[in-house]
Amino acid sequence: PESSSGDHAALIAERDALTRAMAELSVQERQVVVLRFLVDLSEGATAAELGIPVGTVKSVTHRAVRKLRASAHLIGTN
């Protein structure tokens, strides 16, 4: 989410960091992250949209979030 702090440079830096971190994910991981967290689809709806089992959505979400949390691009951006 965008902050309302008014610091435009910080907002741009945060977006850049997130973009770089997302680029490190596989295509499937990016698709799942976008559908689950940006589009706010349920696990079932994400699975249906991508044509994969719900269990795969769960495991891909877990793996992608773990990668994002460990990304050097995002460490220290909060």
Side-chain angles (χ1 to χ4, degrees):
E2 294 183 20
S3 62
S4 60
S5 67
D7 187 352
H8 188 66
L11 180 59
I12 290 171
E14 288 174 7
R15 283 186 183 174
D16 181 63
L18 182 57
T19 299
R20 289 174 187 270
M22 290 287 288
E24 294 176 340
L25 301 179
S26 71
V27 172
Q28 186 179 50
E29 289 168 339
R30 281 193 304 272
Q31 289 173 328
V32 168
V33 167
V34 168
L35 291 175
R36 291 283 292 127
F37 301 111
L38 295 177
V39 180
D40 199 29
L41 293 183
S42 67
E43 290 170 339
T46 299
E49 182 70 27
L50 297 176
I52 59 176
V54 172
T56 301
V57 170
K58 291 179 181 183
S59 63
V60 170
T61 301
H62 177 76
R63 185 173 52 248
V65 169
R66 187 180 63 223
K67 286 181 180 181
L68 290 172
R69 286 183 177 153
S71 174
H73 299 292
L74 297 178
I75 293 175
T77 58
N78 289 343

